[in-house]
Amino acid sequence: MRGEIRFLLDGAPRNLTQVDPTMTVLDYLRLEEHLVGTKEGCNEGDCGACTVVLARPRDGALHYEAVNACIQFVGTLDGCQLITVEHLAKDGALHPVQQAMVDCHGSQCGFCTPGFVMSLFAMTRDHAEAPDDQSIDDVLAGNLCRCTGYAPIVKAARQAYQKNPRGDVFARDEAATFAKLGALQDDATIAVSDAAGARRFFAPAGLDDLAALYLQHPDATLVAGSTDVGLWVTKDMQRPETVIYLGRVAELAQIAETKDSIEIGAGVSYSAAMAVLGEHYPDMGEVVRRIGSVQIRNAGTIGGNVANGSPIGDSPPLLIAAGAILHLRKGGERRSLPIEDFFIDYGRQDRAPGELVERISLPLPEAGTRFRAYKISKRFDQDISAVLGAFSLKIEAGQVSSARLAFGGLAATPKRAAAAEAALAGAAWNEATVARAMAALAEDFSPISDWRASADYRLKVSQNLLRRCFIETTEPDCETRLVGQPGLAHA
Amino acid sequence: MPERAEAIKGGVQAAWRHDSGHKHVSGAAAYIDDLPEAQGLLHVYLGLSTVAHARIKKLDLDAVRAAEGVEDVLTAADIPGANDISPTHRHDEPVLAVGIVEFVGQPIFAVAATTRDAARRAALLARVDYDPLPAVIGMAEARQDGTLVTDPMTLARGDAEVALKAAPRRLKGRMQVGGQEHFYLESQIAMAIPGEDDEVRVLSSTQHPTEIQTMVAGALDVPANAVTTEVRRMGGAFGGKETQGNLFAVIAALVAKKTGRAAKIRPDRDDDFAVTGKRHDFEIDYEVGFDDDGRILAVDMTYAARCGWSSDLSGPVTDRTLFHADNCYYFPDVRLTSEPLKTNTCSHTAFRGFGGPQGMIGGERVIEEVAFALGKDPLAVRRLNLYGPGGRDMTPYHQRVEDNIAPEIIEKLEADSGYQARRAEIRAFNETSRVIKRGLALTPVKFGISFTLTAYNQAGALVHIYRDGSIHLNHGGTEMGQGLYTKVAQVVAEAFQVDIDRVRITATSTGKVPNTSATAASSGSDINGMAALAACDSIKTRLVDFAAENWEVPKEQVEFLPGCVRVGNQEIAFADFVNAAYLARVSLSSTGFYKTPKIHWDRAAGRGRPFYYFSYGAAASEVAVDTLTGEYRVERVDILHDVGQSLNPALDLGQIEGGFVQGMGWLTTEELWWDDAGRLRTHAPSTYKIPACSDRPRVFNVALLEDSPNREETIYRSKAVGEPPLMLAISVLHALSDAVASVADHRLCPRLDAPATPERVLMTIERLRAEAAALEGGAA
């Protein structure tokens, strides 16, 4: 057991022995460190004004990731270098991304600006050259600006590369920082508590330790990216007594390809999974690209999105359509089930006290399978889906030999469309069959109306997504999409 | 003699950077929440109503008082002065509710604690027993109920009723236009520091320091001279901090004076959404008479606005709506009526354009209806109806349009954007593209500049020069990101011919410049720039007099040159020159004052000249729509906008681009959604979707109209730029409409309402398809 959280604030070591388990990094910076450059805009990980960058040693190098400080807990900083907007300008000179923002008139009111600067700084670690427009849009999707209309910020993103933004003090000090962070690593389970000693934060370093700890504290709140739990704290004012952080469990962070599956550890972030998923399921990669923002994808995990059981999570319909298997673990016991069976009812999942999601097995697509996934939301980027439709169709000799249609946003759980699947199975893949399947969707679902969409729209657009899938698989030259990675493979 | 610079840095017309740019990017620009906190500062949080309309049977705050960290709890009974923050003094907006609540989110009490977290938690512990009363939430209920929050207005010229009957063609329709949350990135905030006797210093994120001062003084029952309001910068405002900061400033001041400790209040974003007002949503009923060419003969429109529970600024907002119903078009016989309706929702307020955008969008719908009725390009109908010579220059409020440049702007933009060729290309594309349809629209903007409350068209400034030649600038305008401080500093730099770095920009303070007008109505640089120039001129007059006497030269031989003053044949460095003036006991400090000339307005008669001049612009927007889902994307936008002779082209471009994207958000993805119980369910960025980076137009060509100095004598012949560009985004709604219309071969006016969310676009497409099919059926 280790009784402290250790990290670097820029270059300065911090060892915290008393830690409120749900104190946010933002509150820590502003209230404890009096570093007030990082702003609170929304307190829910959506506007990006609080963006900070975390550097972590991984595979022999430092990896820099932008995250939202407002929903990340301070205990999760263990082993990281925390970089804020105050740390970029060194020796009286602005960092190239800062200078470019000034020169391009990228700030007006300036309140969102520190967050943009940090996202751009992180961008310079990920991209050796000035990225294309699509990549800049992705980098900045989690930073809202209400003043500029973004054009000057995008210009600054490109212009920053004229002044070698990667040749900065962080690059100069990278080896030393790497060594310092390496020295902070250990295999001990971290256990710290708040000043009263009542509320606790655990961070085990191994899967077995985690399983044992959770069995011991079945009421604990498991936290990976805290992209949802963060809001329980900042918005619902919940104060969980015990928090177990999964981020130090190396086994959970593994994503591996086998000959017929992709094995996704429960702690794998969207960012870490995006490329692998996109390689085998282009549309899955495209949906993941539109989940949250870079900041959210760097923190949030697919395992968390599943475990949380939300009817509007984007991962479950993708995984259900693809026929994924969920692996659960309770203490030393393990069990597996088709992922769709995990979602029992609204707010109810097939998970016992002390049982945790360990891994997801995503089968690789079989030859001849057409996988399509469509995310429908008011705004393309960083919006919760009104509807997410994911379709896996096997079409052989013009006939649908198997059909798995899964939807989010239409029911109390992510759910397959049984009647529509039945209308497709064994039928010829043609206009009439699609029309029957579209009609059958009305039997499968009675969606609700809310602020994201009306019931009528949800159903109508779901039906039209089947039509879109049909058009895409039968008329590949027909333009059907307004967003997406250019050259997205439409196998 | 020192080498003289060719020109100063940062004079007027220079594309100078925002004065705080370098501080924004390094986190060094301090907003109120970033300032050091006085020892013992209390954090305050509000307890809010959870029901839309009810009598409070019992308010039990025992648990709140007993909560950890709580130092004090305030209710209306703790307000020594007026429990009222109604900006138009209708006394309909209590600071804290008494006996009755009128919307979900209405403040009932305030709790002060040692930490913000403690205050926020404690506020949730109140036990309130409500006796529910009928609540009016939606537009339909509000119109049925018919209660108004303020006096409606009618603008009329000629006889619309008779002219409608006489018109060869006439049609009527209805349009719904949604409201808009400001979503300033910095939420509302205020900090109050108690002083001696009855004094208090209030730091407020406000566009209207004097109103904060007035409200605080009223609530504390102290004279205005006991209250000093300061604001260095806001993290965005957009009208949302014209009156909406009052509540927070008053609460902070009340706590500070009651406890003798500094107090700060900052709501969480969700509570900011719940408590504060937004852009008004409207239902517009229109009837238009026209001839076979598309020339409009008569217009009768009713603009019903959901105003919320109190009047706030709904009177002047809905007035401005009517002032802009005509946009750039001449309506020969016209009647325009406003209906400012009371609802049990937050009290809607100022928002960039101040009702003008809603007025204009109704006028543009009328144009579109006429075009579809005749099968013409809406742009042709627009051109046909523009204000022009030959008696076609009179607005519905009897002000002549004397500076009309809309026709030239439209013509130039039509050519520069390749409108006609692209329109043909798009029609051809839509013929063959099954799923994706494109649309194009070009819409103009004419926006009236001046506060319609004539008294607000005044400004003061204070300029000091110190012995070292450095200059201290203060004025009544506030900085919310628009670059006002920079522009006014440019004016001062230009006046004295010194580099802008010599001009220290200082926080707006009611102690330095009194009786300030709100920084609103796009007037900031017009009036504060002029006031600062007046201050500079009065100092310069003294300096010239001094120099002429001291060096015995004629006054004509005293000239301010870059960095120095030429006196006769010698050039004296500016610092040396002012020091010499100091030694000769010349005052180096002056106030300046400005009032806008020519304007007058008789609201009861509906006649006058409410606007000093008009700002113009036009935008051509192209969109692509997915007809299966209603999703869309703005492919290209071309803008030509008139800022007169720009004070700062870089800042003006920023206002145009930013205003456009904000307007686009209003008309596309930004949707306010109240449930039947009156709870706003789009309450934070997770549910309320302002444009993100990828929503900006894929191609965005923005140009300032060249060689077009303001015809009126404004500050260096520039024009106001804050609000007008927002309305350029109406072109996006019309481009979407154009794309949608293609599914029925442009035979039916889509009547696409706003916000045109993907849902509304798809449902409009479905309706048009059904109507077109019915038409086919009927024809067969």
Side-chain angles (χ1 to χ4, degrees):
Chain A
M1 285 283 188
R2 158 146 69 92
E4 63 179 12
I5 303 288
R6 308 189 295 218
F7 62 96
L8 296 177
L9 178 63
D10 192 15
R14 289 289 183 270
N15 302 285
L16 309 183
T17 51
Q18 280 182 356
V19 178
D20 180 318
T22 54
M23 174 177 243
T24 63
V25 172
L26 180 63
D27 278 352
Y28 169 75
L29 284 170
R30 293 184 61 89
L31 304 178
E32 306 281 321
E33 296 285 353
H34 304 290
L35 287 173
V36 293
T38 308
K39 308 300 182 203
E40 179 183 315
C42 67
N43 212 17
E44 62 175 358
D46 221 283
C47 78
C50 67
T51 303
V52 295
V53 168
L54 299 180
R56 283 193 187 87
R58 198 167 62 219
D59 306 327
L62 280 185
H63 287 262
Y64 296 82
E65 291 184 335
V67 297
N68 291 307
C70 72
I71 50 169
Q72 182 123 17
F73 302 141
V74 73
T76 67
L77 294 176
D78 192 77
C80 297
Q81 179 191 23
L82 169 61
I83 304 167
T84 74
V85 70
E86 286 94 344
H87 303 137
L88 293 198
K90 288 277 156 68
D91 308 323
L94 294 178
H95 189 278
V97 300
Q98 294 174 312
Q99 191 61 53
M101 281 287 279
V102 174
D103 294 343
C104 296
H105 309 282
S107 71
Q108 286 185 22
C109 86
F111 201 83
C112 69
T113 311
F116 274 95
V117 164
M118 295 314 289
S119 284
L120 293 176
F121 168 66
M123 172 191 77
T124 64
R125 308 295 115 165
D126 286 341
H127 296 267
E129 310 276 336
D132 60 17
D133 275 10
Q134 169 81 61
S135 301
I136 293 173
D137 285 350
D138 286 346
V139 162
L140 298 179
N143 292 91
L144 297 177
C145 171
R146 193 55 153 166
C147 295
T148 64
Y150 302 101
I153 302 174
V154 171
K155 194 174 158 204
R158 293 193 208 100
Q159 189 161 310
Y161 280 87
Q162 291 171 9
K163 289 197 180 149
N164 188 21
R166 289 157 66 90
D168 60 13
V169 65
F170 298 94
R172 188 195 71 201
D173 295 345
E174 184 157 348
T177 306
F178 185 85
K180 280 194 216 169
L181 291 176
L184 300 181
Q185 310 287 329
D186 63 17
D187 293 335
T189 294
I190 298 171
V192 290
S193 58
D194 64 1
R199 302 175 56 231
R200 289 170 297 177
F201 180 92
F202 294 103
L207 185 55
D208 292 340
D209 291 345
L210 167 66
L213 195 63
Y214 193 31
L215 205 54
Q216 205 182 326
H217 301 280
D219 295 333
T221 301
L222 295 187
V223 165
S226 66
T227 55
D228 195 28
V229 176
L231 276 71
W232 305 357
V233 171
T234 62
K235 296 295 174 179
D236 299 343
M237 304 301 285
Q238 292 185 30
R239 261 209 274 211
E241 290 292 308
T242 309
V243 170
I244 301 177
Y245 174 55
L246 311 179
R248 295 177 72 234
V249 181
E251 296 97 317
L252 292 184
Q254 303 291 325
I255 181 163
E257 284 182 62
T258 70
K259 93 178 156 19
D260 48 22
S261 73
I262 304 168
E263 301 297 319
I264 308 165
V268 172
S269 69
Y270 295 110
S271 293
M274 194 161 86
V276 183
L277 297 179
E279 188 184 327
H280 297 283
Y281 290 96
D283 268 15
M284 219 183 265
E286 170 59 13
V287 168
V288 173
R289 183 186 70 79
R290 285 179 51 201
I291 291 178
S293 58
V294 169
Q295 293 93 317
I296 294 296
R297 293 195 295 274
N298 284 341
T301 61
I302 292 176
N305 200 219
V306 170
N308 149 311
S310 165
I312 46 175
D314 283 339
S315 317
L318 301 174
L319 297 168
I320 291 170
I325 303 294
L326 185 67
H327 305 281
L328 299 161
R329 175 167 174 180
K330 184 181 174 187
E333 296 167 29
R334 289 184 159 96
R335 69 185 173 106
S336 303
L337 70 166
I339 200 161
E340 66 233 57
D341 295 342
F342 180 68
F343 306 102
I344 300 168
D345 202 347
Y346 182 78
R348 264 187 73 213
Q349 295 85 43
D350 181 7
R351 188 165 69 89
E355 189 171 44
L356 57 93
V357 171
E358 183 180 337
R359 184 166 49 88
I360 297 154
S361 298
L362 174 65
L364 295 179
E366 291 176 36
T369 298
R370 316 295 181 92
F371 187 91
R372 289 292 183 281
Y374 309 114
K375 177 178 167 71
I376 300 296
S377 47
K378 276 185 202 162
R379 192 174 71 193
F380 284 123
D381 277 338
Q382 205 197 191
D383 196 0
I384 293 165
S385 300
V387 169
L388 191 131
F391 315 138
S392 184
L393 300 173
K394 197 159 181 189
I395 298 162
E396 293 170 306
Q399 291 227 310
V400 182
S401 57
S402 89
R404 295 176 67 90
L405 313 179
F407 286 90
L410 294 187
T413 60
K415 195 171 151 241
R416 285 175 70 176
E421 286 181 2
L424 292 175
W429 184 228
N430 61 24
E431 207 43 87
T433 302
V434 171
R436 275 196 299 277
M438 286 168 68
L441 273 183
E443 295 167 39
D444 285 316
F445 297 107
S446 310
I448 58 160
S449 289
D450 69 9
W451 49 95
R452 290 196 184 89
S454 68
D456 287 351
Y457 177 70
R458 283 192 158 103
L459 189 58
K460 180 88 222 162
V461 83
S462 299
Q463 291 169 327
N464 283 356
L465 292 181
L466 277 180
R467 179 173 298 289
R468 184 196 264 181
C469 176
F470 176 71
I471 293 170
E472 286 184 356
T473 52
T474 54
E475 292 175 66
D477 292 337
C478 182
E479 190 185 355
T480 54
R481 301 190 193 192
L482 294 173
V483 285
Q485 303 280 23
L488 189 70
H490 284 164
Chain B
M1 193 178 292
E3 183 102 346
R4 177 158 62 77
E6 284 290 303
I8 57 164
K9 288 186 205 153
V12 295
Q13 282 124 41
W16 199 251
R17 65 166 177 77
H18 192 284
D19 75 273
S20 295
H22 60 297
K23 292 181 277 191
H24 294 152
V25 300
S26 56
Y31 302 81
I32 290 171
D33 204 32
D34 304 336
L35 299 173
E37 295 174 356
Q39 193 178 10
L41 175 135
L42 292 172
H43 295 268
V44 189
Y45 216 80
L46 294 170
L48 306 178
S49 169
T50 55
V51 298
H53 193 198
R55 251 180 269 287
I56 298 174
K57 277 198 294 191
K58 192 173 169 224
L59 177 61
D60 177 356
L61 299 174
D62 290 350
V64 182
R65 286 178 213 284
E68 191 185 336
V70 170
E71 298 279 316
D72 206 349
V73 178
L74 278 76
T75 63
D78 296 296
I79 301 174
N83 182 20
D84 180 49
I85 44 172
S86 162
T88 51
H89 311 295
R90 295 180 74 92
H91 305 293
D92 62 352
E93 191 174 344
V95 181
L96 294 171
V98 183
I100 197 159
V101 287
E102 297 197 78
F103 76 106
V104 175
Q106 181 168 0
I108 302 173
F109 66 93
V111 51
T114 49
T115 67
R116 184 167 173 274
D117 185 62
R120 206 175 152 202
R121 286 181 191 286
L124 297 172
L125 301 176
R127 280 192 291 271
V128 190
D129 287 345
Y130 297 103
D131 194 358
L133 295 166
V136 176
I137 307 298
M139 179 66 80
E141 294 164 82
R143 292 196 83 174
Q144 197 176 6
D145 180 71
T147 307
L148 302 178
V149 289
T150 187
D151 302 328
M153 185 169 83
T154 296
L155 296 181
R157 216 195 48 250
D159 191 329
E161 204 174 333
V162 169
L164 278 169
K165 282 197 184 122
R169 288 168 175 258
R170 80 199 256 203
L171 60 80
K172 59 164 95 174
R174 171 173 281 184
M175 180 178 197
Q176 312 277 348
V177 184
Q180 185 176 27
E181 158 65 31
H182 304 84
F183 204 77
Y184 29 70
L185 262 286
E186 178 209 35
S187 61
Q188 303 279 347
I189 183 166
M191 180 156 76
I193 298 116
E196 296 174 5
D197 299 326
D198 53 6
E199 292 169 10
V200 63
R201 179 169 163 242
V202 180
L203 307 181
S204 166
S205 187
T206 179
Q207 295 170 246
H208 200 347
T210 284
E211 181 154 289
I212 296 288
Q213 179 191 30
T214 306
M215 295 298 168
V216 167
L220 291 175
D221 196 20
V222 300
N225 66 8
V227 182
T228 304
T229 310
E230 282 175 38
V231 52
R232 170 60 183 87
R233 62 170 64 78
M234 288 165 270
F238 316 111
K241 294 173 180 174
E242 184 169 347
T243 60
Q244 301 299 293
N246 293 345
L247 168 71
F248 304 94
V250 166
I251 293 286
L254 284 169
V255 171
K257 289 312 281 183
K258 182 163 182 238
T259 62
R261 293 160 75 170
K264 181 161 80 172
I265 180 165
R266 172 174 70 85
D268 185 69
R269 177 63 63 177
D270 284 59
D271 291 327
D272 190 306
F273 262 70
V275 174
T276 65
K278 312 184 191 312
R279 185 189 294 288
H280 294 68
D281 50 318
F282 276 75
E283 185 168 87
I284 307 166
D285 290 314
Y286 52 88
E287 186 162 13
V288 53
F290 53 102
D291 66 17
D292 291 337
D293 294 332
R295 199 177 285 262
I296 289 170
L297 304 172
V299 169
D300 188 357
M301 299 174 82
T302 301
Y303 282 87
R306 232 164 47 117
C307 298
W309 67 290
S310 73
S311 57
D312 185 70
L313 298 172
S314 291
V317 166
T318 50
D319 287 0
R320 188 169 277 266
T321 299
L322 301 191
F323 286 125
H324 289 84
D326 61 336
N327 195 12
C328 298
Y329 312 114
Y330 175 61
F331 297 161
D333 285 272
V334 55
R335 181 172 59 203
L336 306 167
T337 309
S338 65
E339 265 180 36
L341 297 163
K342 175 164 178 164
T343 49
N344 293 108
T345 48
C346 60
S347 187
H348 289 329
T349 190
F351 193 143
R352 205 175 196 170
F354 205 74
Q358 297 96 314
M360 205 176 281
I361 209 165
E364 289 295 343
R365 164 64 77 81
V366 166
I367 293 281
E368 191 186 29
E369 287 270 22
V370 171
F372 274 91
L374 300 172
K376 298 183 86 168
D377 179 354
L379 181 57
V381 176
R382 286 189 172 100
R383 268 200 308 247
L384 193 63
N385 286 288
L386 290 172
Y387 280 110
R392 294 177 55 86
D393 63 353
M394 187 61 86
T395 61
Y397 41 96
H398 302 266
Q399 171 170 356
R400 275 187 202 289
V401 182
E402 295 169 347
D403 58 5
N404 184 22
I405 52 171
E408 293 99 287
I409 289 183
I410 290 172
E411 191 183 345
K412 185 159 185 343
L413 183 68
E414 184 180 350
D416 292 352
S417 66
Y419 175 88
Q420 295 299 347
R422 284 166 60 207
R423 185 172 151 86
E425 280 163 32
I426 286 167
R427 290 292 164 98
F429 171 89
N430 287 345
E431 287 292 311
T432 56
S433 178
R434 270 182 64 194
V435 176
I436 308 296
K437 304 285 185 187
R438 293 180 175 246
L440 177 67
L442 190 160
T443 61
V445 167
K446 164 182 129 286
F447 194 75
I449 303 301
S450 294
F451 288 97
T452 53
L453 176 63
T454 305
Y456 269 14
N457 298 290
Q458 60 172 307
L462 177 64
V463 173
H464 308 318
I465 307 178
Y466 297 98
R467 290 177 64 184
D468 64 356
S470 66
I471 298 171
H472 176 115
L473 166 64
N474 200 272
H475 54 77
T478 57
E479 177 62 43
M480 60 195 93
Q482 82 279 44
L484 174 65
Y485 277 14
T486 310
K487 282 186 174 179
V488 180
Q490 286 178 276
V491 168
V492 173
E494 184 78 25
F496 290 115
Q497 286 295 299
V498 297
D499 289 347
I500 194 169
D501 306 347
R502 269 186 198 259
V503 182
R504 172 77 52 180
I505 296 170
T506 60
T508 311
S509 167
T510 55
K512 284 187 180 168
V513 172
N515 310 321
T516 61
S517 298
T519 308
S522 307
S523 68
S525 45
D526 274 11
I527 63 174
N528 293 291
M530 278 297 208
L533 185 60
C536 295
D537 283 345
S538 78
I539 299 174
K540 279 171 74 179
T541 301
R542 288 179 218 146
L543 289 173
V544 170
D545 288 348
F546 151 73
E549 191 182 319
N550 192 56
W551 283 284
E552 297 178 338
V553 295
K555 286 182 194 173
E556 303 77 55
Q557 288 186 22
V558 182
E559 191 182 0
F560 288 79
L561 298 175
C564 68
V565 182
R566 185 171 67 78
V567 182
N569 291 327
Q570 59 173 327
E571 290 184 4
I572 307 167
F574 183 75
D576 297 337
F577 177 80
V578 298
N579 193 44
Y582 162 78
L583 293 171
R585 297 187 294 169
V586 175
S587 166
L588 296 175
S589 172
S590 178
T591 59
F593 183 78
Y594 176 74
K595 60 178 180 178
T596 311
K598 295 189 177 178
I599 49 176
H600 56 94
W601 173 238
D602 180 346
R603 187 178 187 272
R607 281 173 178 267
R609 177 178 176 151
F611 304 121
Y612 188 27
Y613 64 90
F614 297 99
S615 281
Y616 296 87
S621 292
E622 179 180 339
V623 301
V625 170
D626 181 337
T627 57
L628 287 175
T629 60
E631 295 165 291
Y632 47 79
R633 170 161 141 145
V634 180
E635 299 287 356
R636 174 174 164 182
V637 173
D638 295 74
I639 289 173
L640 182 59
H641 197 77
D642 158 39
V643 295
Q645 184 161 277
S646 174
L647 279 176
N648 183 326
L651 297 178
D652 284 347
L653 278 173
Q655 288 299 295
I656 295 166
E657 291 177 349
F660 178 88
V661 170
Q662 194 172 71
M664 197 182 87
W666 167 49
L667 296 173
T668 56
T669 57
E670 293 184 36
E671 186 170 36
L672 293 164
W673 200 92
W674 279 269
D675 65 18
D676 293 343
R679 292 175 297 179
L680 178 62
R681 304 304 293 269
T682 47
H683 50 76
S686 54
T687 42
Y688 183 77
K689 311 313 285 186
I690 72 167
C693 187
S694 65
D695 296 314
R696 75 189 191 287
R698 299 292 87 193
V699 177
F700 201 8
N701 303 315
V702 183
L704 304 178
L705 183 67
E706 290 177 353
D707 303 323
S708 180
N710 196 333
R711 295 182 199 187
E712 300 296 341
E713 286 181 46
T714 52
I715 184 78
Y716 292 100
R717 299 279 175 175
S718 63
K719 280 193 177 184
V721 70
E723 297 169 284
L726 182 127
M727 285 151 271
L728 296 169
I730 293 172
S731 59
V732 173
L733 184 71
H734 283 263
L736 288 168
S737 176
D738 185 47
V740 166
S742 70
V743 306
D745 294 327
H746 298 272
R747 283 176 300 167
L748 299 167
C749 182
R751 297 189 167 182
L752 177 64
D753 286 338
T757 56
E759 167 165 351
R760 199 159 279 118
V761 169
L762 183 66
M763 293 325 212
T764 304
I765 286 170
E766 294 288 328
R767 173 169 52 75
L768 278 198
R769 282 189 164 136
E771 284 174 18
L775 223 55
E776 298 285 328

